[in-house]
Amino acid sequence: MSFFDHLPVLTVLLPALSAVLLLLLGDQGADVHGGHAHPKLLWARRIGLVSTALGLVLAVLLALGAADGDLRVYRLGAWPAPYGIALVVDRLSASMLLLTSVIALAALWYAAGGWDAHGRYFHAIFQFQLMGLNGAFVTGDLFNLFVFFEVLLIASYVLTVHGQGGPRLRVGLQYVVLNLLASALFLIGVALIYAQTGTLNFADLALRVAQVPAPEAAVLQAAALVLLVVFGFKAAMMPLSLWLPATYAAASAPVAALFAVMTKVGIYAIVRVHGVIFGEGAGDSAFVARDVLLPLALATGVVGVVGVLAARTLPRLVAWLNVASIGTVLAAVGLYSPLAWSAAIFYMLNSSLVIAGLFLLSELVAAQRGDVADRLVPALPVAQPALLGLMLLLASASTAGLPPLPGFIGKLMILEASLSHSWQAGVWSVVLGVGFLTIIGLARAGSILFWQVRPGPQVGLRAGASPKLLAATWTLLLASVAMSVLAAPIERYTRAAAEQLGDRVAYARAVLGEGARPSGTVRPYDGRGARPPMRKEGPE
Amino acid sequence: MSMEFLVATGIGWVTACAIYLMLRGRSFPVVLGLTLLGYAVNVFIFAMGRLWSAAPPVLLSDAAVADPLPQALVLTAIVIGFATTGFVIELALRSRHDNRTDHVDGTHRQAERDEAHQDEASIGGHRR
């Protein structure tokens, strides 16, 4: 095997190894104010940034490799696929990996501007979070998806309370309890699916789900819907999204920016499980989530944008924007067509970048507004109104979907994909309405922040004008602009990714090998399918 | 029949208790409820491999063997459950300490303070 064959597992191993290295390096201690120049912290920054940058290189290599349509399957320990653990990288996984690395690099760069000194072991936990995210995107197995969910969640619990403080701990506790509840539901769903099909491998499941006959399929469908609750919770789908604004607004800015990817893991899992496995060709269980996904997605968009209008602080506004964008993406997922999925992936890539950028920007603005900080009330003018205002304008135009920014292209693709669908009117009115109300909400925020200033001297710069922090934020916003410039090739890529998702047979053939028949496990399990192993000769 | 009935009602009963506890407003019962739910889920996963008696989980003979995979799954789930429970207990303690209340909403602070004053009065007020 060449080096390139090991790329899928390296995306998980690289952050894991750097996290261990960072743990071994130790921590500078809870020195909140004087810890910036501590040599250990400097080394931790270097290791974290180098590792994240290497992760970006890996993601680019994988995305380029996936572009020609080959599924890259990595069988751990060379066990044959339905029995061992398989990692699978297709176009969708590769693009999600790329998105994660770009946002993680910018967030870590931003955090290295000082946030990482506000608590202990920030860099190690950040790498563990990346390990969980990358693992969730490359795994080809439902139970491993659970394991990587747990890895990324445990890291996210710690990151949520990073920097501490009472409100953050209270919100963090709620977040952890709700997520543990969701994890329990996840296990129940996984166990039910295993009980009905005898397998948890995505490729094997896609073949076996179709063979479960109607009377037994009821339990399978129940399991699929339990999983929809879990993924919907992670993705912040209504009515499971009310935890998100408080949590994201309470988390520190770089952490919230990284969390912008975390909700996308839920969407990714919905596409994988409900779009593909329980999608077209799943026999009696086909399209089990279709009737609920689209209405709930539209409701998510509406509630999200109402939250945007009602938000009283900037981070909370951005968190609600995140909910609204998730509604838009899920609406496209719920249309169940390759065209719509292509639009969903395109819009998801862009909105994650912009929302992550907005989380960083909201803290830059807050740092220049003195005691008012991020509350949306008139205050003294900020020190850099033109620069920050321009950034907010750029980000707003992109999330709201104004041309020529990629938010517009993504929304146009969604509108196009919903043509002649029975829910067309609903999708059009919600997507366009959300865009319109987003403009109003962001215009309100922008005019309060930059125009409705009280006369008086400017607030001092504080931390919000450091070139490093500005550069990290610009990176995310300009990455979104770059998506606009490269819209044609990216659109070709997402369209190919969506078509690749629909091709269950090719996926099964790549993972399970030629022949691609369901594995020999039988349900109900009779205990006789297993053959006794060869007795080994030799001393006992 | 009876073993299936016993296991199923057992899981159901533990789950019901867990849900009751998780709907409480204080973090300690909520954490207890999560732990109970974890147990219920673990037994549930185990039972999804079907209930077997006198069947070894590893392949030793020509006789019937119990499905080994749910046992592997439940082992992983137990480990993860331990880690998360440990973390949530620590977080609950920390939140109780910093917010001076263990109410999950963080409301009812006044009632909590009154209670704390009473506690302090009764234990000699060495907390502050």
Side-chain angles (χ1 to χ4, degrees):
Chain A
M1 284 180 99
S2 77
F3 168 75
F4 288 97
D5 294 329
H6 292 289
L7 284 184
V9 77
L10 281 181
T11 58
V12 181
L13 282 184
L14 176 72
L17 291 177
S18 10
V20 171
L21 191 63
L22 286 163
L23 284 179
L24 289 178
L25 179 71
D27 193 82
Q28 80 282 359
D31 185 8
V32 174
H33 297 292
H36 285 241
H38 197 284
K40 267 187 185 168
L41 184 62
L42 292 180
W43 272 107
R45 279 177 190 167
R46 280 176 208 142
I47 295 172
L49 282 168
V50 167
S51 164
T52 315
L54 281 178
L56 180 62
V57 173
L58 286 181
V60 169
L61 287 176
L62 277 172
L64 292 177
D68 55 12
D70 284 345
L71 281 159
R72 206 180 282 261
V73 183
Y74 188 87
R75 296 178 183 82
L76 274 92
W79 284 86
Y83 307 106
I85 294 171
L87 304 180
V88 188
V89 178
D90 62 359
R91 289 194 183 96
L92 176 61
S93 304
S95 54
M96 296 306 289
L97 284 174
L98 192 56
L99 174 73
T100 310
S101 327
V102 170
I103 292 182
L105 192 56
L108 192 62
W109 192 11
Y110 187 96
W115 258 115
D116 53 355
H118 285 247
R120 309 180 80 177
Y121 292 107
F122 177 85
H123 289 278
I125 303 295
F126 195 92
Q127 294 299 322
F128 276 126
Q129 168 97 62
L130 280 184
M131 172 195 168
L133 286 168
N134 288 350
F137 290 135
V138 297
T139 183
D141 181 300
L142 201 51
F143 193 76
N144 278 305
L145 187 65
F146 166 77
V147 173
F148 283 119
F149 259 68
E150 287 304 308
V151 171
L152 78 90
L153 285 173
I154 292 175
S156 80
Y157 304 153
V158 184
L159 287 179
T160 310
V161 296
H162 175 77
Q164 292 170 1
R168 203 165 276 169
L169 279 169
R170 192 179 69 235
V171 170
L173 185 65
Q174 292 166 359
Y175 173 70
V176 174
V177 167
L178 287 172
N179 268 301
L180 290 182
L181 189 58
S183 300
L185 279 179
F186 197 160
L187 281 174
I188 291 174
V190 167
L192 279 174
I193 285 186
Y194 180 77
Q196 290 300 312
T197 61
T199 184
L200 291 173
N201 184 288
F202 286 153
D204 205 15
L205 264 181
L207 298 179
R208 293 192 70 86
V209 158
Q211 298 176 350
V212 178
E216 288 173 36
V219 178
L220 194 60
Q221 290 163 9
L225 292 176
V226 167
L227 287 184
L228 183 68
V229 172
V230 177
F231 299 149
F233 175 80
K234 314 281 178 195
M237 179 175 76
M238 273 308 288
L240 305 161
S241 61
L242 298 174
W243 58 272
L244 184 139
T247 311
Y248 281 35
S252 57
V255 171
L258 184 66
F259 282 6
V261 189
M262 219 167 57
T263 45
K264 308 307 184 283
V265 182
I267 297 179
Y268 171 84
I270 288 178
V271 172
R272 271 267 179 255
V273 173
H274 297 95
V276 180
I277 294 174
F278 290 98
E280 199 180 353
D284 288 316
S285 311
F287 299 121
V288 59
R290 186 169 58 181
D291 293 340
V292 286
L293 197 52
L294 197 51
L296 287 180
L298 297 182
T300 311
V302 171
V303 172
V305 85
V306 169
V308 168
L309 292 179
R312 279 192 232 155
T313 68
L314 196 51
R316 206 169 257 271
L317 185 145
V318 180
W320 278 114
L321 263 184
N322 195 10
V323 175
S325 80
I326 284 157
T328 313
V329 175
L330 278 178
V333 172
L335 291 171
Y336 278 94
S337 73
L339 205 58
W341 284 354
S342 161
I345 300 167
F346 189 94
Y347 188 75
M348 176 158 67
L349 295 178
N350 169 59
S351 69
S352 309
L353 287 172
V354 177
I355 284 168
L358 271 171
F359 272 121
L360 298 184
L361 177 62
S362 63
E363 193 183 68
L364 290 180
V365 175
Q368 295 191 7
R369 296 184 79 222
D371 297 334
V372 186
D374 52 17
R375 272 178 292 144
L376 289 174
V377 290
L380 299 174
V382 296
Q384 299 171 305
L387 183 67
L388 297 180
L390 188 67
M391 288 162 97
L392 185 68
L393 180 70
L394 183 66
S396 311
S398 191
T399 38
L402 296 183
L405 290 160
F408 169 74
I409 303 169
K411 287 196 171 175
L412 199 64
M413 285 162 75
I414 295 174
L415 295 182
E416 205 183 340
S418 71
L419 284 176
S420 76
H421 190 275
S422 57
W423 278 77
Q424 187 196 345
V427 174
W428 274 60
S429 45
V430 168
V431 169
L432 294 176
V434 164
F436 177 64
L437 293 176
T438 305
I439 298 178
I440 293 185
L442 283 165
R444 178 182 70 108
S447 57
I448 291 174
L449 292 175
F450 299 113
W451 290 347
Q452 273 189 35
V453 288
R454 282 189 277 131
Q458 283 182 340
V459 180
L461 279 176
R462 293 220 343 228
S466 140
K468 203 172 173 184
L469 302 183
L470 283 170
T473 314
W474 270 118
T475 310
L476 286 174
L477 298 179
L478 291 180
S480 155
V481 175
M483 271 194 75
S484 187
V485 176
L486 298 172
I490 292 175
E491 197 265 349
R492 272 201 300 280
Y493 188 92
T494 59
R495 186 168 297 211
E499 270 155 21
Q500 191 176 34
L501 280 175
D503 194 352
R504 300 149 65 95
V505 178
Y507 187 86
R509 196 183 300 125
V511 176
L512 302 175
E514 290 305 322
R517 272 177 293 112
S519 60
T521 45
V522 282
R523 290 283 118 176
Y525 177 74
D526 62 0
R528 312 255 166 205
R531 266 172 298 142
M534 303 285 214
R535 294 239 173 209
K536 277 206 178 132
E537 299 299 322
E540 288 288 311
Chain B
M1 150 67 196
S2 64
M3 186 161 91
E4 278 86 352
F5 181 77
L6 201 64
V7 172
T9 44
I11 296 173
W13 178 245
V14 175
T15 311
C17 295
I19 290 172
Y20 174 77
L21 283 172
M22 278 191 296
L23 294 176
R24 308 271 81 198
R26 297 294 172 87
S27 56
F28 182 66
V30 170
V31 171
L32 267 189
L34 280 173
T35 319
L36 271 189
L37 185 67
Y39 292 144
V41 167
N42 288 342
V43 180
F44 180 77
I45 300 174
F46 188 70
M48 283 300 109
R50 305 297 189 269
L51 296 173
W52 292 89
S53 54
V58 280
L59 316 178
L60 281 178
S61 63
D62 288 336
V65 286
D67 195 347
L69 201 89
Q71 309 188 21
L73 298 187
V74 83
L75 200 62
T76 316
I78 288 170
V79 172
I80 292 175
F82 264 129
T84 46
T85 308
F87 181 77
V88 77
I89 289 173
E90 173 63 29
L91 191 63
L93 286 174
R94 193 61 199 262
S95 175
R96 166 80 179 85
H97 181 263
D98 280 18
N99 289 318
R100 306 188 58 77
T101 169
D102 70 343
H103 199 274
V104 283
D105 278 341
T107 50
H108 304 266
R109 281 183 96 159
Q110 198 50 53
E112 181 74 18
R113 254 185 225 132
D114 297 343
E115 212 172 277
H117 280 303
Q118 280 170 10
D119 283 356
E120 274 169 33
S122 63
I123 56 175
H126 61 92
R127 240 179 66 200
R128 210 172 307 182

